[in-house]
Amino acid sequence: MSNVTSRALALSTLLLSTSALAANSKPQPVPIVDTIPAARDIAFPGTIYLDVTATDLDRGIIEVRETIPATPGPLVLLAPKWLPGNHNASGQIDKLAGFTFTANGQPLRWVRDKVDVFAFHLDVPAGATSVEARFQYLSPTAEDQGRIVVTREMSNIQWNAVSLYPAGTFVRNIPVVASLTIPAGWKAATALRPTATTPGNRITFGEVAYDTLIDSPVFAGKYFRADDLGHGITLNTIADAPKELAVPAAVLAKHRALADQAVKLFGARHFDHYDFLHAITDRMGGIGLEHHRSSENQNDPGYFTDWDASVSDHNLLPHEFTHSWNGKFRRGADAWTPDYRTPMQDSLLWVYEGQTQFWGTVLEVRSGMSTKQQVLDKIALAAANLDNQPGRSWRPLSDTTNDEIISNRRPEPWNSYQRAIDYYQEGLLIWTEADMIIREKSGGKRSMDDFAHAFFGINDGDWGEVTYTYDDVVRTLNQVQPYDWAGFLKARVDDVAPTAPLAGFTNSGYRLTYGDKPTDTAKAVFKSRKVADFSYSLGFQVGKEAKLADVRWGSPAFQAGLVNGAQVIAVDGHTYSDELLADAVTTAKGGASPIILTVKRGDEVRSFSLPYHDGLRYPRFIKVGTGDGALDKLLAPR
């Protein structure tokens, strides 16, 4: 037998045996062993010292040095993963790089956990009392990398993105002293209070618990102003340009009224001081995020200086401020966690966010941030969206509270059928109806204001956390006004409902209707969102570059085969414009000829026929009742 033949037979035998192995073997899964200590409610031995340098404005690279008390033996350091207010595992581990760890001046080997990639395993040598960690946070330099947090004029430092913490202890038991260096000439705002500012614009803050640090982000900027709103509340604003910091007296008065109306509403303050962190910018990324003693807020240029045109932004500060009471002081029991590794559960977001949307909207009107008509016009847009939603046929509102974890607000192909974070606006509708019922059953003696006092107005001055359950919500409602609140909430939250819960409006003398022209408020909203809205006629919006967005399931556009992302290039043979399409819809009203859209999708260009003849339709609430109904009384200032 030749060597060639011998090798061929050996290879054939090997292939046969390998084939048999693949066909007959039954691999078993590798057991997942959690080698990370669980958080315990014990004291932490020592204080973490965190030093952050955020002066690189060209590249946005933030340098971190952290000294962590440790004892000899295994040590697990964690990057925050499950972040309160984000309602999901949104920690930015992908932005951290350059890790080095040392003890006694000697480098330590580190290993990332195979299961939890937010965890780092180290062995602390004998004689060491601490570990020093050095790394960088590589902030996004373009929108497709994430939210931009560093520009030439401002920065947003979130401590969860620039720190590690040791596993095994409740984060409320870990003391931290943090320092932050920002560019020369800049000023910073945060709920933390500085103890020293040293040369180089290095600010050192007082010792706080790690969870308080994480809950106290920083806005810093070149152009800065601070306004005292009363009640220990400060509006701190940074901007792209000095002109954006010119605040008309009447506009500032509305923000002072917001502080005043909120304290009157809840009857207690759950902060020793409160700082609005407010950026007016189109360069740093957008944000609206609650904290216990502060909130991160971004509005577009013109917020102060073109107040009427910025109406779509007037709900942001009232909403985030409300969260100090609802979401931070009072928090769903399954959303409270002892550390940032334990998964949060979002089952009560229809209270946490839904009732915050309700109270934020009420405060928006009561403070004069927007007029009652402007707010009704904005609610009409949300109500129409919810009332024309095919996804209501299969998905109850309670299930949408899982969407933060399921999709993390990523774009969806068929939003109206899939449903997303509907608990915000539908929560607003539900709690408006609850207010109407309380007023009706009590003969006008009580309202949701009484619920606010009973549920959120306890323990004045306490800025810890008090958790609640579904039963606690029902119990407090019954204390305010006896009623079948469990059945009320089950029908609106847990059951499938074909239409939106609009009784709080209809029974207060308001009807949702549709006209052929948008309200002035709707026009401002569409302009802010950079869309042309044909949602209730053709069944879509048109966004940037004339691309279709939010194509509605079952609409004329859906029936024709149009999808999100397709680019409209012509209407009835003429080059596309928003005005041309609106004119075509108007012209086709009552006629027989379809509207022809020429659309580009990828490298394919096609024409679609839409046989739609009912004209333009835009939602609004109209007053059909007489006198002041429950809704009018709800929105009146205190």
Side-chain angles (χ1 to χ4, degrees):
M1 183 183 295
S2 69
N3 287 337
V4 173
T5 304
S6 177
R7 286 196 298 271
L9 286 172
L11 178 60
S12 176
T13 302
L14 176 62
L15 290 173
L16 285 171
S17 63
T18 302
S19 175
L21 178 65
N24 298 320
S25 64
K26 296 180 179 179
Q28 297 299 310
V30 176
I32 295 177
V33 179
D34 191 354
T35 57
I36 301 172
R40 294 183 295 157
D41 195 5
I42 57 175
F44 182 74
T47 300
I48 292 176
Y49 288 87
L50 175 66
D51 197 354
V52 176
T53 300
T55 56
D56 185 344
L57 304 183
D58 292 322
R59 298 170 299 184
I61 298 172
I62 298 175
E63 298 285 347
V64 181
R65 183 180 68 185
E66 187 172 5
T67 303
I68 303 164
T71 56
L75 173 67
V76 180
L77 297 178
L78 302 171
K81 181 179 182 181
W82 287 84
L83 302 178
N86 289 22
H87 312 309
N88 57 41
S90 56
Q92 299 183 64
I93 192 67
D94 58 312
K95 304 294 192 303
L96 302 185
F99 288 105
T100 62
F101 299 96
T102 58
N104 291 336
Q106 300 300 312
L108 301 180
R109 179 176 179 269
W110 61 271
V111 177
R112 194 186 298 265
D113 193 88
K114 294 178 181 179
V115 176
D116 187 345
V117 297
F118 285 71
F120 302 85
H121 295 268
L122 302 94
D123 283 312
V124 181
T129 59
S130 65
V131 168
E132 182 177 271
R134 289 178 179 259
F135 57 94
Q136 296 87 35
Y137 174 74
L138 309 179
S139 67
T141 57
E143 290 182 356
D144 61 356
Q145 301 164 9
R147 177 174 169 259
I148 293 174
V149 297
V150 178
T151 75
R152 295 291 301 174
E153 296 78 27
M154 64 181 65
S155 62
N156 178 195
I157 306 302
Q158 295 179 322
W159 301 106
N160 53 272
V162 292
S163 65
L164 305 175
Y165 69 97
T169 307
F170 279 22
V171 289
R172 68 186 180 197
N173 296 337
I174 303 174
V176 184
V177 172
S179 297
L180 172 66
T181 302
I182 57 177
W186 282 29
K187 293 183 179 179
T190 172
L192 302 175
R193 291 299 180 252
T195 57
T197 301
T198 52
N201 217 7
R202 181 174 184 264
I203 307 166
T204 299
F205 302 100
E207 182 180 290
V208 295
Y210 187 68
D211 64 335
T212 299
L213 178 76
I214 297 303
D215 198 44
S216 306
V218 180
F219 270 24
K222 182 178 181 180
Y223 307 113
F224 176 95
R225 72 173 283 165
D227 292 287
D228 181 2
L229 303 184
H231 304 284
I233 302 161
T234 304
L235 175 61
N236 304 279
T237 305
I238 55 176
D240 290 337
K243 66 179 182 179
E244 296 295 340
L245 297 178
V247 186
V251 172
L252 184 57
K254 297 175 189 298
H255 290 77
R256 289 198 172 108
L258 169 61
D260 189 53
Q261 288 292 324
V263 172
K264 287 179 179 179
L265 168 65
F266 296 112
R269 294 183 309 165
H270 300 298
F271 46 81
D272 49 352
H273 54 262
Y274 188 93
D275 286 89
F276 284 106
L277 310 180
H278 182 218
I280 301 178
T281 178
D282 56 10
R283 300 171 190 170
M284 191 168 77
I287 192 169
L289 185 59
E290 67 271 14
H291 303 283
H292 205 136
R293 299 185 298 160
S294 64
S295 56
E296 297 170 276
N297 310 275
Q298 179 271 332
N299 282 309
D300 291 333
Y303 174 77
F304 287 139
T305 58
D306 194 359
W307 182 250
D308 290 338
S310 69
V311 64
S312 63
D313 294 330
H314 295 178
N315 183 258
L316 179 62
L317 268 60
H319 178 99
E320 301 305 341
F321 190 31
T322 297
H323 270 312
S324 180
W325 289 269
N326 183 17
K328 304 309 292 185
F329 174 64
R330 297 302 308 265
R331 191 178 309 179
D334 61 4
W336 186 90
T337 58
D339 64 2
Y340 304 117
R341 181 174 185 249
T342 305
M344 293 183 295
Q345 300 173 62
D346 293 339
S347 69
L348 288 164
L349 284 182
W350 51 274
V351 183
Y352 182 122
E353 293 291 2
Q355 199 172 126
T356 294
Q357 187 66 22
F358 167 76
W359 287 125
T361 301
V362 168
L363 289 172
E364 182 183 352
V365 182
R366 290 185 183 178
S367 64
M369 295 281 281
S370 297
T371 67
K372 182 169 76 172
Q373 189 58 55
Q374 287 172 329
V375 164
L376 286 171
D377 290 345
K378 286 196 283 188
I379 296 174
L381 296 175
N385 174 54
L386 293 165
D387 204 41
N388 291 273
Q389 206 169 55
R392 306 185 69 87
S393 66
W394 71 273
R395 193 176 191 187
L397 182 68
S398 57
D399 189 54
T400 69
T401 64
N402 297 305
D403 230 58
E404 295 283 7
I405 298 170
I406 293 171
S407 70
N408 193 15
R409 305 199 184 190
R410 290 184 295 271
E412 296 176 323
W414 302 105
N415 180 271
S416 64
Y417 188 63
Q418 293 170 268
R419 304 194 74 181
I421 51 173
D422 289 346
Y423 47 83
Y424 279 85
Q425 298 291 1
E426 193 151 341
L428 162 63
L429 303 183
I430 289 170
W431 294 113
T432 300
E433 184 179 0
D435 179 79
M436 182 271 299
I437 292 172
I438 293 171
R439 290 178 190 273
E440 179 185 82
K441 298 297 181 183
S442 69
K445 296 178 181 179
R446 289 178 291 279
S447 69
M448 277 296 291
D449 284 49
D450 296 283
F451 178 91
H453 272 73
F455 202 72
F456 303 113
I458 60 174
N459 303 356
D460 187 25
D462 177 7
W463 48 283
E465 297 102 18
V466 178
T467 60
Y468 61 83
T469 64
Y470 189 106
D471 289 341
D472 292 328
V473 176
V474 172
R475 185 180 305 110
T476 306
L477 284 167
N478 275 308
Q479 289 170 356
V480 172
Q481 176 59 50
Y483 185 68
D484 181 16
W485 292 111
F488 171 87
L489 293 175
K490 178 181 181 300
R492 287 152 186 80
V493 176
D494 297 322
D495 293 345
V496 170
T499 58
L502 297 176
F505 295 84
T506 56
N507 292 352
S508 294
Y510 287 87
R511 186 173 72 226
L512 182 66
T513 187
Y514 297 83
D516 61 3
K517 290 182 174 58
T519 64
D520 289 341
T521 304
K523 290 178 184 176
V525 170
F526 299 153
K527 183 177 180 181
S528 174
R529 295 176 182 172
K530 298 180 174 60
V531 298
D533 191 83
F534 299 93
S535 297
Y536 309 107
S537 52
L538 299 177
F540 55 70
Q541 294 182 341
V542 185
K544 295 179 181 179
E545 300 176 347
K547 290 185 177 179
L548 297 182
D550 209 11
V551 174
R552 288 188 170 267
W553 188 276
S555 68
F558 176 90
Q559 299 296 343
L562 291 167
V563 297
N564 290 333
Q567 183 181 35
V568 186
I569 58 178
V571 180
D572 293 333
H574 299 280
T575 302
Y576 176 81
S577 71
D578 296 340
E579 295 77 11
L580 180 64
L581 181 54
D583 289 343
V585 175
T586 300
T587 300
K589 184 176 181 179
S593 299
I595 299 168
I596 306 299
L597 297 185
T598 304
V599 171
K600 184 176 186 293
R601 184 181 179 191
D603 60 359
E604 182 183 30
V605 176
R606 292 177 57 193
S607 291
F608 293 82
S609 175
L610 280 70
Y612 174 77
H613 305 289
D614 291 333
L616 295 168
R617 299 178 76 243
Y618 299 98
R620 68 180 69 207
F621 278 112
I622 60 171
K623 185 76 179 283
V624 294
T626 58
D628 285 344
L631 181 61
D632 302 296
K633 295 174 183 177
L634 171 67
L635 299 179
R638 299 297 179 258

